[in-house]
Amino acid sequence: MENILNDINKRFISLPEEDVRGNKQILESVLRTFVEQMKTQDPLFKALFRRVFYGGSFYDGLKVGKPEEFDLDILLHIPIYAQPVLNESNVPGFVWLKLNNLDGWLRQPEGRVYKDFRKKFLADNDFLDTGKTLRWMESLVQKTLNTLPWVNNATCELTNEFGTFHINWWKGGPAMTLGISHSSGEKIMDVDLVACFVFSGDKWPINGYRSNPFPSTKPEFFIVPKKPQGPVNPQGRYWSLSFQEQERVLIDNKNRLKPAVKLIKKLKEKTHPNIASYYIKTVFLHIIEQKDQSFWNKSLREVFMTTLREYNEFIADQSIPYYWCRKNNLIGHLAPITLNNISNRIGYIIKDIENNPENIAKHLLTKEEYTKYIQGEDVMAEALPALPASQTSSCVII
């Protein structure tokens, strides 16, 4: 079974490094220039902008399959003079942010550039509003795209050292998504851009939350304009907490952890896609607490089977507590019968591969993938097209 798991990981889950590097270079070069262009379109964005955080499963090393989807957080910073105050809301895992000295901040000489902050970001009583933030980000992305040459009504064009690319965009949840394709029309990747606000450790939530495990090296955290699952009022006041930088350190340097996460994600894609990938990552954060470093150095078979059983225990208990605030059950919105069915399905798979280890490939792979597996095809080696030769265009990105 060890050989089968390693073979599946190589041929159906992990991309060759050169392909990963190519898409990463395209992404970072395009985004670097796009953000600089955003600064020219809105002085307020230029003043607020801190940095881009390259988040999501790809940069965590947990991506399954082609690197075609990326999650990037555009981190914005509110000056301390405005006296931003974070308060835990009545929904675990969500906070409210209020500016207690907005007018005093705006009266400062350097505050002039922020004169539209209340209109664009704040609701009643100077609470930061998710809806206004999303609309502002949508408008800014559209305005920035309008500075590029347009191929048609939906697509603009840019050129850099990696070739000529077409870009279109759409909305989805809290993100503005940029679709990047080759000039031939062949899709390369989708990039989700989310406007977040970043805070230092002195704002770290306290009541019911874990303390920062890396206060000296990773002191910052983010708030994201993502609303709770259930009805809340007022809706625009709720911001989701994000501790991605700390999570990345927690899962790093643990030999078999990332391959095991990716195998379980591969299984969930086939058998229970209604469990979000982040929930699986959260289960592993809990498991890390219970295991010493030596556990992750065991065989992939042992790590995979042990963590799969523990993952199923969380599903059977119908609770995956948010790692940073246990009162927030990440799967609380799913129907009990749905979770029972998922748990029963995973339980069956565990028993089957315990009795017949060679069946693991049938459970992890789709029918099409399994046929290719039997035929010895290396799917991931041909997952991405070669980069095109550099071309020239009226819009050059450097």
Side-chain angles (χ1 to χ4, degrees):
M1 182 173 166
E2 183 80 4
N3 291 337
I4 296 174
L5 291 175
N6 284 318
D7 197 30
I8 289 173
N9 185 62
K10 178 179 181 294
R11 291 166 54 189
F12 295 90
I13 295 176
S14 299
L15 272 171
E17 181 60 32
E18 60 191 63
D19 290 335
V20 171
R21 187 165 54 250
N23 265 24
K24 184 179 177 182
Q25 289 173 335
I26 291 172
L27 170 66
E28 294 179 4
S29 67
V30 169
L31 259 294
R32 185 168 53 249
T33 305
F34 195 80
V35 167
E36 290 304 311
Q37 192 67 11
M38 290 170 72
K39 292 178 184 178
T40 69
Q41 298 305 301
D42 190 335
L44 180 56
F45 172 76
K46 183 178 180 179
L48 293 170
F49 177 74
R50 169 73 70 80
R51 58 189 169 97
V52 176
F53 176 74
Y54 290 83
S57 60
F58 176 81
Y59 283 90
D60 281 345
L62 303 177
K63 180 66 179 175
V64 173
K66 304 176 184 179
E68 293 181 334
E69 298 176 353
F70 295 87
D71 302 314
L72 307 186
D73 294 323
I74 307 297
L75 300 184
L76 310 176
H77 173 67
I78 298 174
I80 200 168
Y81 197 88
Q83 296 181 15
V85 176
L86 275 177
N87 290 308
E88 291 93 351
S89 75
N90 59 322
V91 180
F94 291 81
V95 294
W96 300 325
L97 184 137
K98 188 177 189 298
L99 300 191
N100 282 345
N101 189 38
L102 177 64
D103 291 323
W105 171 37
L106 296 180
R107 284 195 295 267
Q108 300 303 306
E110 63 273 19
R112 294 171 186 167
V113 72
Y114 301 101
K115 60 182 175 63
D116 292 330
F117 190 88
R118 178 178 276 128
K119 179 175 69 175
K120 293 185 176 181
F121 288 96
L122 302 181
D124 294 343
N125 300 314
D126 289 341
F127 279 96
L128 192 65
D129 188 83
T130 56
K132 284 191 170 185
T133 302
L134 293 172
R135 289 190 290 274
W136 169 80
M137 184 65 175
E138 177 185 347
S139 173
L140 178 55
V141 169
Q142 179 67 75
K143 190 184 299 184
T144 304
L145 289 171
N146 285 339
T147 65
L148 301 175
W150 285 80
V151 177
N152 52 48
N153 291 334
T155 305
C156 67
E157 183 176 85
L158 58 85
T159 298
N160 64 17
E161 64 270 31
F162 297 104
T164 297
F165 304 101
H166 287 177
I167 299 179
N168 53 18
W169 70 277
W170 58 92
K171 291 191 298 183
M176 292 295 302
T177 302
L178 301 182
I180 303 176
S181 305
H182 288 301
S183 57
S184 64
E186 184 178 15
K187 174 184 171 181
I188 304 174
M189 67 183 77
D190 294 334
V191 182
D192 286 347
L193 301 178
V194 181
C196 306
F197 287 85
V198 59
F199 295 94
S200 56
D202 62 311
K203 302 294 184 188
W204 193 278
I206 299 173
N207 299 322
Y209 289 84
R210 291 180 188 269
S211 58
N212 187 350
F214 313 108
S216 58
T217 57
K218 298 295 178 184
E220 295 183 330
F221 66 98
F222 324 144
I223 61 171
V224 183
K226 180 180 179 182
K227 299 173 184 176
Q229 291 282 350
V232 291
N233 187 46
Q235 283 195 345
R237 191 174 291 184
Y238 290 81
W239 290 76
S240 175
L241 287 159
S242 176
F243 305 99
Q244 294 181 69
E245 292 193 301
Q246 292 77 18
E247 291 171 0
R248 185 167 293 174
V249 178
L250 285 169
I251 66 174
D252 207 16
N253 297 315
K254 292 177 175 60
N255 192 359
R256 303 291 189 184
L257 182 146
K258 292 182 182 181
V261 172
K262 289 190 281 188
L263 287 166
I264 293 178
K265 286 176 63 175
K266 181 69 174 168
L267 179 67
K268 85 97 182 175
E269 287 180 359
K270 180 183 177 185
T271 62
H272 53 286
N274 42 358
I275 297 292
S277 294
Y278 180 73
Y279 304 165
I280 296 174
K281 178 184 173 183
T282 298
V283 166
F284 274 78
L285 291 173
H286 287 297
I287 294 174
I288 287 169
E289 280 197 303
Q290 308 301 323
K291 308 292 184 185
D292 59 28
Q293 185 68 28
S294 64
F295 170 75
W296 306 107
N297 293 327
K298 294 182 179 181
S299 68
L300 181 56
R301 176 190 181 280
E302 184 169 351
V303 172
F304 169 68
M305 291 301 296
T306 300
T307 54
L308 181 60
R309 293 187 192 98
E310 295 194 26
Y311 167 61
N312 197 35
E313 290 175 8
F314 280 91
I315 301 296
D317 291 341
Q318 303 193 356
S319 176
I320 298 179
Y322 180 42
Y323 181 74
W324 302 98
C325 179
R326 295 188 65 89
K327 293 179 182 179
N328 182 9
N329 178 11
L330 298 178
I331 56 175
H333 62 288
L334 295 176
I337 190 170
T338 299
L339 295 171
N340 282 333
N341 289 338
I342 293 172
S343 179
N344 291 337
R345 176 63 176 164
I346 297 173
Y348 165 78
I349 292 170
I350 289 172
K351 289 181 181 179
D352 186 46
I353 57 183
E354 284 175 339
N355 296 326
N356 305 284
E358 68 279 1
N359 285 351
I360 184 61
K362 293 181 180 179
H363 292 298
L364 289 173
L365 303 176
T366 64
K367 289 182 179 180
E368 181 182 358
E369 289 173 334
Y370 186 72
T371 299
K372 293 179 178 180
Y373 175 76
I374 295 299
Q375 294 172 348
E377 294 184 34
D378 192 342
V379 174
M380 301 313 293
E382 301 176 355
L384 292 176
L387 293 174
S390 294
Q391 304 173 39
T392 58
S393 174
S394 57
C395 176
V396 179
I397 287 195
I398 301 173

